[in-house]
């Protein structure tokens, strides 16, 4: 079951974050002149690392100001995201996003962007209120795995296994014709976009019902998903597995661009830099670029699928079942049952925050869960049952087939 977003809680959080930044940069009567504020430093870091490359890719001399979206703060530490929106008039592609981690050091901010050795080093020192242990492990594994750039990415395609979707646009740049050709456009099925692999999910450029969604995988890759709506309600930093629901294909443009038909703009990154999908194996297919952007094909054995054809997702490793994150409320565990109801015997427990794989769903005994009363029950991949009232799946309805 999804967690309803409280506007009051969100506003309070944002106000607290904003206030925290102001307090951190305000000088005392005896302090030396302060350095730039955090927002300025984050934006400058983003432009320094990615600005010139984006100007070339987007064929522009002027970039829009990067967004500054802090989400967590603790003392001298702040974590969040920054995004450079698409240039005005840019017709294709997606904005460029990075996570940032900042620490106040004397009168200046140290800012590191994800996908760098500096970010991984700073993340290891961050307090738990800013980065959880699971996130620290993911960022460390992502950094350590980056030395092994293998063509088989270990990733699936962003929809259910053994289901075919249309490849509406072959390999192309994150802004259309620019290189590297890091992105592919897909549409089909029920339109539900799923995580291509295990990792941690984050959103940036949150506007209305849409955002740019990023999953940082522990194998050295990251993937981004654009144009979606009805996004997952999982909090930033939540663990996801292959098959976790992220959103629905759409025509949304929270940070610019264009879309002429509902699809997901799916991109492959190493760190926070886009990399070519040419020769990369994703979902059991090896993708090859054509002579021009949006061309090319996917190859599996002797089978070749060109643009406009249907590509079946054969997975990339790890579970391919839909997943959810356990929320035990004020408790540390949730009881697992032998059937879909409290009248069935308890056969174990699962820890708060654990990610579980859901084999199928069924209606059973109504239970008052963390977010209200529901009669939906999830049978896990080990055959045990848990009420959907204690599982955040990113959806208010079933995310797996009926049992």
């Amino acid at each position: 079951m999804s967690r309803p977003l409280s506007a009051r809680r969100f506003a309070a959080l944002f106000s607290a974050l904003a206030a925290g930044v102001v307090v951190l940069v305000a000088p005392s009567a005896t302090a030396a002149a302060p350095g730039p504020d955090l927002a300025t430093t984050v934006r400058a870091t983003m432009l320094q690392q990615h600005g010139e490359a984006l100007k070339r890719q987007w064929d522009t001399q002027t970039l829009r100001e990067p967004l500054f979206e802090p989400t967590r703060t603790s003392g001298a530490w702040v974590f969040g995201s920054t995004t450079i929106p698409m240039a005005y008039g840019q017709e294709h592609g997606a904005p460029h996003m990075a996570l940032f981690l900042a620490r106040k050091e004397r009168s200046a901010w140290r800012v590191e962007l994800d996908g760098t050795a500096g970010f991984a080093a700073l993340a290891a020192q961050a307090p738990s209120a800013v980065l959880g242990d699971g996130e620290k492990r993911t960022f460390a594994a992502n950094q350590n795995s980056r030395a092994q750039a293998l063509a088989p990415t270990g990733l699936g395609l962003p929809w259910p296994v053994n289901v075919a979707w249309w490849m509406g646009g072959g390999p192309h740049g994150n802004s259309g014709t620019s290189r590297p050709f890091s992105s592919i456009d897909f549409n089909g099925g029920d339109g539900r976009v799923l995580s291509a692999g295990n990792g941690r999910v984050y959103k940036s450029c949150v506007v209305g019902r849409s955002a740019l969604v990023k999953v940082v995988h522990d194998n050295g890759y990251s993937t981004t998903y654009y144009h979606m709506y009805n996004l997952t309600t999982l909090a930033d930093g939540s663990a996801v597995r292959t098959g976790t629901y992220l959103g629905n294909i759409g025509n949304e443009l929270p940070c610019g661009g264009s879309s002429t038909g509902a699809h997901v703009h799916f991109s492959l990154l190493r760190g926070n830099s886009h990399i070519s999908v040419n020769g990369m194996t994703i979902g059991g297919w090896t993708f090859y670029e054509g002579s021009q952007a949006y061309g090319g094909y996917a190859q599996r054995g002797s089978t070749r699928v060109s643009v406009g054809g249907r590509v079946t997702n054969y997975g990339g490793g790890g579970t391919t079942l839909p997943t959810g994150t356990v929320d035990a409320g004020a408790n540390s565990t949730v009881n697992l049952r032998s059937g879909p109801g409290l009248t069935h015997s308890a056969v174990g427990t699962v820890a708060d925050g654990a990610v579980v794989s859901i084999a199928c769903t069924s209606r059973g005994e109504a239970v008052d869960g963390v977010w209200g009363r529901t009669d939906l029950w999830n049978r896990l991949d080990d055959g045990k049952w848990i009420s959907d009232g204690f599982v955040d799946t990113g959806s208010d309805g079933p995310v797996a087939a009926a049992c």
Side-chain angles (χ1 to χ4, degrees):
M1 174 177 280
S2 67
R3 181 194 297 271
L5 180 63
S6 167
R8 180 176 298 176
R9 288 176 58 195
F10 179 82
L13 172 62
F14 186 84
S15 297
L17 288 168
V21 171
V22 171
V23 170
L24 289 170
V25 301
S28 66
T30 59
D37 65 24
L38 178 57
T40 298
T41 305
V42 168
R43 291 179 174 124
T45 303
M46 185 65 162
L47 290 172
Q48 180 183 30
Q49 294 189 20
H50 298 285
E52 291 305 315
L54 287 177
K55 286 180 181 179
R56 292 192 297 271
Q57 291 175 14
W58 294 348
D59 192 23
T60 182
Q61 295 300 311
T62 304
L63 295 176
R64 296 168 65 183
E65 183 178 72
L67 302 180
F68 171 65
E69 297 177 293
T71 56
R72 305 174 205 162
T73 182
S74 178
W77 293 81
V78 181
F79 174 78
S81 65
T82 177
T83 302
I84 300 179
M86 295 290 291
Y88 289 116
Q90 185 72 43
E91 295 183 355
H92 300 287
H96 190 79
M97 166 192 180
L99 303 173
F100 75 82
L101 182 59
R103 181 177 66 189
K104 188 68 175 293
E105 298 179 347
R106 297 182 182 274
S107 62
W109 285 98
R110 175 186 173 184
V111 172
E112 302 286 354
L113 303 184
D114 74 302
T116 65
F119 182 91
L122 199 60
Q125 305 170 38
S128 58
V130 171
L131 282 182
D133 290 341
E135 288 178 283
K136 292 181 181 181
R137 288 192 295 269
T138 295
F139 290 133
N142 184 278
Q143 176 68 25
N144 294 335
S145 298
R146 221 167 297 143
Q148 306 169 9
L150 304 176
T153 61
L155 300 173
L157 290 165
W159 61 85
V161 168
N162 297 323
V163 172
W165 275 27
W166 304 99
M167 182 167 64
H172 56 281
N174 195 44
S175 58
T177 59
S178 64
R179 291 187 177 276
F181 285 177
S182 63
S183 308
I184 311 171
D185 294 338
F186 296 108
N187 65 90
D190 60 4
R192 292 165 54 83
V193 179
L194 312 179
S195 176
N198 300 341
R200 300 271 167 177
V201 64
Y202 301 89
K203 303 183 214 47
S204 186
C205 190
V206 180
V207 177
R209 65 178 187 172
S210 188
L212 176 62
V213 177
K214 180 176 188 176
V215 177
V216 178
H217 306 287
D218 57 10
N219 64 356
Y221 292 98
S222 294
T223 48
T224 59
Y225 311 76
Y226 195 52
H227 300 311
M228 301 188 302
Y229 70 96
N230 282 353
L231 303 183
T232 173
T233 56
L234 292 174
D236 273 13
S238 294
V240 296
R241 291 184 180 173
T242 306
T244 296
Y245 172 80
L246 300 178
N248 274 84
I249 59 172
N251 294 294
E252 307 302 306
L253 305 171
C255 257
S258 67
S259 176
T260 56
H263 68 283
V264 60
H265 177 92
F266 174 72
S267 300
L268 184 68
L269 297 85
R270 204 78 169 158
N272 60 33
S273 296
H274 286 255
I275 61 172
S276 174
V277 297
N278 189 54
M280 291 291 190
T281 301
I282 307 172
W285 296 85
T286 303
F287 290 85
Y288 295 96
E289 63 185 48
S291 58
Q292 296 181 341
Y294 298 97
Y297 59 92
Q299 186 87 33
R300 178 178 170 86
S302 60
T303 302
R304 176 180 293 194
V305 176
S306 299
V307 175
R310 290 165 61 84
V311 178
T312 298
N313 179 21
Y314 291 104
T319 178
T320 58
L321 295 173
T323 63
T325 302
V326 175
D327 190 335
N331 300 311
S332 59
T333 62
V334 174
N335 286 332
L336 299 174
R337 300 285 173 174
S338 60
L342 299 179
T343 56
H344 293 268
S345 59
V347 290
T349 61
V350 60
D352 179 57
V355 178
V356 293
S357 298
I358 301 170
C360 60
T361 60
S362 179
R363 298 293 176 178
E365 182 181 351
V367 172
D368 291 316
V370 173
W371 306 295
R373 192 168 182 82
T374 179
D375 64 353
L376 184 64
W377 285 76
N378 300 306
R379 192 178 76 187
L380 305 183
D381 54 354
D382 61 1
K384 299 173 184 176
W385 293 80
I386 184 171
S387 167
D388 195 60
F390 298 97
V391 183
D392 190 346
T393 61
S395 172
D396 289 323
V399 296
C403 297

